[in-house]
Amino acid sequence: MIKFFKDVSREMQKVSWPKGNELSKYTVIVILTVLFVSIFFTVIDLGITQILELL
């Protein structure tokens, strides 16, 4: 178990973390993508619901 955490610590030092500006851009992209997908599926769901109510 101790070896595992030492290995994890060693690997985490190799990670290239995004800078503040990059992190902000990535955050905005993720939020916009989630909003787009949620709106898309809401519209699809409402459309399917309307079609089923007509039948």
Side-chain angles (χ1 to χ4, degrees), residues 37-54:
V37 169
S38 64
I39 291 169
F40 174 78
F41 281 112
T42 300
V43 169
I44 296 297
D45 183 52
L46 290 174
I48 291 173
T49 303
Q50 292 297 320
I51 290 172
L52 290 176
E53 285 179 359
L54 289 174

Side-chain angles (χ1 to χ4, degrees), residues 26-44:
Y26 296 154
T27 302
V28 169
I29 290 171
V30 168
I31 290 171
L32 290 176
T33 302
V34 168
L35 286 172
F36 173 77
V37 169
S38 64
I39 291 169
F40 174 78
F41 281 112
T42 300
V43 169
I44 296 297

